[in-house]
Amino acid sequence: MPETPEELYARVQEQGLRMPLVEEWETWPFEGALQPRALQPPVEVERPRIGEDAADCWRCQHGDERAIWSDERWLVTPIPEPNGLPCVVLLFPRRHVDLGELNDAEAADLGTMLVRVERALRAIPHVGRVHVCRWGDGSYHLHYWFIARPARFPQLIGSFAAIWDDVLPPTPQDVWDENLALVARALSE
């Protein structure tokens, strides 16, 4: 029988939280003692995500604004400003939907688009890998993150790349702009 949120919370209160051995991982971006925050009890209902209604959706309200590439179904936009990694872009469907609401044609096209955008970011010189991520808790409108990791930095591999993006100093604007131009060209080919 599946565990309810209340049962999970009770189990945590009884057994306590564990601190994973992340400080031993080469990819862990921090040093020093850490401890997990206390788990708060479950809420009565989850808060609505930003833009549940298309009329309140930032992506829908801004159309092609900031898009570096688009077609009749999809938009690719960068994050608002450079962070520490070479390039971070988001893939959005034009239609105001979440993943489970894509129709069959959009779902099939999504697979192609995930590969196209990943390849486009790999076209940036000195990119080692591209992480493709979807969390879906903040905003309703479906979006995938594409995070380009610099080559030859074993410490930056894996799931902490998104944290390293916030820890590293911002990529210079001219480099960022050229990387976005390379991605746009690769997507247009």
Side-chain angles (χ1 to χ4, degrees), residues 87-187:
C87 190
V88 179
V89 299
L90 294 101
L91 171 67
F92 294 92
R94 284 189 179 274
R95 206 161 66 85
H96 185 71
V97 293
D98 200 357
L99 183 60
E101 298 163 340
L102 292 173
N103 62 41
D104 289 345
E106 291 166 331
D109 199 30
L110 174 60
T112 300
M113 287 306 303
L114 292 172
V115 173
R116 278 185 72 190
V117 177
E118 191 273 347
R119 285 179 182 159
L121 269 73
R122 278 192 294 119
I124 300 169
H126 312 294
V127 165
R129 297 276 184 277
V130 176
H131 299 286
V132 181
C133 314
R134 177 188 177 263
W135 287 279
D137 282 327
S139 177
Y140 172 84
H141 197 124
L142 175 63
H143 57 285
Y144 280 86
W145 293 75
F146 294 80
I147 302 170
R149 175 187 60 77
R152 302 187 353 250
F153 283 96
Q155 198 173 2
L156 304 183
I157 68 169
S159 59
F160 298 125
I163 296 173
W164 278 107
D165 189 42
D166 290 328
V167 171
L168 296 168
T171 300
Q173 189 69 52
D174 61 328
V175 173
W176 180 260
D177 292 342
E178 178 58 26
N179 289 345
L180 292 176
L182 289 167
V183 171
R185 278 195 296 276
L187 285 168

Side-chain angles (χ1 to χ4, degrees), residues 9-116:
Y9 183 72
R11 179 168 50 85
V12 169
Q13 298 311 300
E14 178 183 311
Q15 297 176 13
L17 296 171
R18 306 176 293 150
M19 184 60 198
L21 299 177
V22 291
E23 72 273 1
E24 295 177 8
W25 299 9
E26 282 186 358
T27 59
W28 181 242
F30 304 103
E31 287 190 34
L34 295 173
Q35 65 182 34
R37 289 184 181 185
L39 182 65
Q40 297 178 4
V43 294
E44 196 63 35
V45 296
E46 289 199 19
R47 68 174 173 81
R49 293 177 292 172
I50 297 167
E52 292 271 351
D53 182 335
D56 300 324
C57 175
W58 183 91
R59 175 72 272 147
C60 292
Q61 298 310 310
H62 288 85
D64 284 12
E65 184 179 313
R66 297 188 33 84
I68 60 169
W69 177 90
S70 64
D71 69 7
E72 66 281 350
R73 273 197 192 145
W74 304 99
L75 294 160
V76 175
T77 65
I79 59 173
E81 57 189 38
N83 264 358
L85 296 180
C87 190
V88 179
V89 299
L90 294 101
L91 171 67
F92 294 92
R94 284 189 179 274
R95 206 161 66 85
H96 185 71
V97 293
D98 200 357
L99 183 60
E101 298 163 340
L102 292 173
N103 62 41
D104 289 345
E106 291 166 331
D109 199 30
L110 174 60
T112 300
M113 287 306 303
L114 292 172
V115 173
R116 278 185 72 190

